[in-house]
Amino acid sequence: MKEISFILLILFSFCVQASGSKALPYQIDVDLTDQKSLQRGFTAFVENCLGCHSTQYQRYNRIGQDLGISLQKMKSQFIHTGTKVGEHVMSAMLPKESAQWFGVAPPDLTLVARVRGASWIYSYLKSFYVDPSRPFGVNNTVFPTVAMPHVLEKLQGTPIAQRDAQGHITNIEASGGQYTPEEYDQFVKDITSFLTYSAEPVQVERKRIGVWVLVFLAVFSILGWFLKREYWKDVH
């Protein structure tokens, strides 16, 4: 009885935590079969994120193989630090130095989509707003008191928070960026798609094989039922 009560208590605590979590402002469905989006996302990651963040469990040649990028193109367009094409995707910034500059070392992003989800990444990149009280002049509604500067501000524009009468943020409007809101939205989707792929590169293949496994189990179940009936037909 004590064991059952303990299990119910744990389940109840999980439900309370889930119900108390803050809802994300945006939701996204990632299509990992859209190779063009993944290529654009990888390009955006290298140009805007790799300076601080690594994806240390990914290798350049594996990314090229999965995303349809030739080794020659990978070497000429995506590797600029003398790194070999078979090595891991590592930031040139040393963790010790980055911790001094930002107060905390930027996290590795290989598995961020598995830990937080694609919608969290998408919402996070769209939720920066100007906040003069913060060290880098920006804050984030999804990750309050974030220690990261808004590195995509030149693309999105200056994001200004719109507030209601109680001071709660209701919307964020950006202006003056290189991209239109629609273009920036697609840009963020592409980065989210790449990080979702990075978290589990075999996801598409796993799902494809999974369908055939389910078909096999269904056929095997039918054959097993007929075999069982044949064995037991003379047993009364």
Side-chain angles (χ1 to χ4, degrees), residues 7-226:
I7 293 174
L8 291 175
L9 181 62
I10 292 177
L11 292 176
F12 177 75
S13 65
F14 285 156
C15 291
V16 170
Q17 292 176 3
S19 62
S21 59
K22 184 178 180 180
L24 295 172
Y26 305 100
Q27 297 294 323
I28 184 176
D29 292 321
V30 174
D31 181 10
L32 293 180
T33 64
D34 187 349
Q35 197 171 75
K36 293 297 183 181
S37 177
L38 293 174
Q39 291 176 0
R40 293 194 302 267
F42 177 57
T43 302
F45 177 84
V46 171
E47 293 178 349
N48 298 276
C49 309
L50 187 57
C52 298
H53 298 277
S54 301
T55 53
Q56 62 180 340
Y57 304 115
Q58 279 277 52
R59 296 180 186 273
Y60 285 102
N61 56 354
R62 172 63 190 270
I63 293 174
Q65 177 182 341
D66 291 343
L67 272 56
I69 302 173
S70 67
L71 293 181
Q72 183 59 39
K73 184 176 181 180
M74 182 68 74
K75 293 176 181 178
S76 61
Q77 296 187 19
F78 297 101
I79 303 177
H80 307 293
T81 59
T83 303
K84 295 182 179 179
V85 73
E87 294 183 7
H88 295 96
V89 182
M90 300 294 295
S91 170
M93 183 183 296
L94 298 176
K96 184 177 180 180
E97 294 178 348
S98 59
Q100 293 176 346
W101 297 334
F102 299 109
V104 61
D108 181 86
L109 298 182
T110 315
L111 303 177
V112 64
R114 296 192 70 174
V115 176
R116 295 187 179 273
S119 293
W120 188 93
I121 300 172
Y122 179 71
S123 297
Y124 172 75
L125 293 176
K126 288 173 64 70
S127 297
F128 280 92
Y129 65 93
V130 173
D131 183 355
S133 67
R134 298 297 303 155
F136 292 104
V138 292
N139 210 332
N140 193 290
T141 59
V142 174
F143 195 160
T145 66
V146 64
M148 171 181 163
H150 185 23
V151 295
L152 303 179
E153 184 173 347
K154 63 180 180 180
L155 304 178
Q156 182 189 19
T158 303
I160 304 299
Q162 310 297 315
R163 301 178 184 270
D164 58 20
Q166 288 73 39
H168 301 137
I169 296 177
T170 58
N171 190 29
I172 296 175
E173 295 184 2
S175 61
Q178 298 177 14
Y179 289 168
T180 65
E182 294 75 17
E183 290 172 338
Y184 182 73
D185 184 69
Q186 184 61 56
F187 181 84
V188 172
K189 286 181 179 178
D190 292 337
I191 293 180
T192 303
S193 296
F194 170 71
L195 291 177
T196 303
Y197 149 79
S198 181
E200 189 179 1
V202 297
Q203 184 175 157
V204 174
E205 182 70 7
R206 171 177 61 78
K207 292 180 178 179
R208 186 188 67 81
I209 295 175
V211 172
W212 287 107
V213 170
L214 293 175
V215 171
F216 168 79
L217 292 176
V219 173
F220 183 80
S221 297
I222 295 173
L223 294 177
W225 182 81
F226 279 112

